[in-house]
Amino acid sequence: EDQVTQSPEALRLQEGESSSLNCSYTVSGLRGLFWYRQDPGKGPEFLFTLYSAGEEKEKERLKATLTKKESFLHITAPKPEDSATYLCAVQERNSGNTPLVFGKGTRLSVIA
Amino acid sequence: DAMVIQNPRYQVTQFGKPVTLSCSQTLNHNVMYWYQQKSSQAPKLLFHYYDKDFNNEADTPDNFQSRRPNTSFCFLDIRSPGLGDAAMYLCATSRTRAGAEAFFGQGTRLTVV
């Protein structure tokens, strides 16, 4: 069973059409949840870290929220330059050293 | 100002011919990671270093090795690349292993012919 599931796999929006991307996770204890943006052929670019339920972070047209089982990345009035794959990753809280576990991402296309 | 630099950006190697990918960082972070990412898939962790302490993921093939000669540099060695090893290889660093965000390089696209 995947620990991190992102939906939808792909999303096509008109410029200005707001929407949300979902990241659900099944780790028993969350140390941190991370959102990244990845452009084609490039490495992921860090966006946000969320640590506890109820936490919110914002950057320009993006807002990330966190509950006990999922996170949303809200995109308000998107522009074509927001087109990218958005990756979610979680780190489980335990006594050992746990790496980030990534979801497969949501591929966002914003059409002018 | 690039903080995690991977070289080369594109690498073509022959089936079975050893290849080395390199990564350097200017962040002075303790942790360095190597991920493999295939098309439309999640990045998959191969191994990581915490300082000089090497941590291999259980399902990382023996064909993949790594070296970290100092804080700034880390190398990924693929001893005998197969066609299935063609992928984007991503290097990342973080300040700590617990709760700190990772910063990625631009990746090396490996093609095996």
Side-chain angles (χ1 to χ4, degrees), chain A residues 99-100, chain B residues 33-36 43-48 57 59-60:
Chain A
L100 298 183
Chain B
Y33 306 87
W34 280 104
Y35 284 86
Q36 179 193 64
K44 177 181 178 296
L45 183 66
L46 296 173
F47 23 60
H48 76 275
E57 293 302 298
D59 57 353
T60 298

Side-chain angles (χ1 to χ4, degrees), chain B residues 49-63:
Chain B
Y49 277 94
Y50 181 74
D51 285 337
K52 295 185 178 181
D53 181 28
F54 177 71
N55 297 268
N56 198 31
E57 293 302 298
D59 57 353
T60 298
D62 292 340
N63 197 28

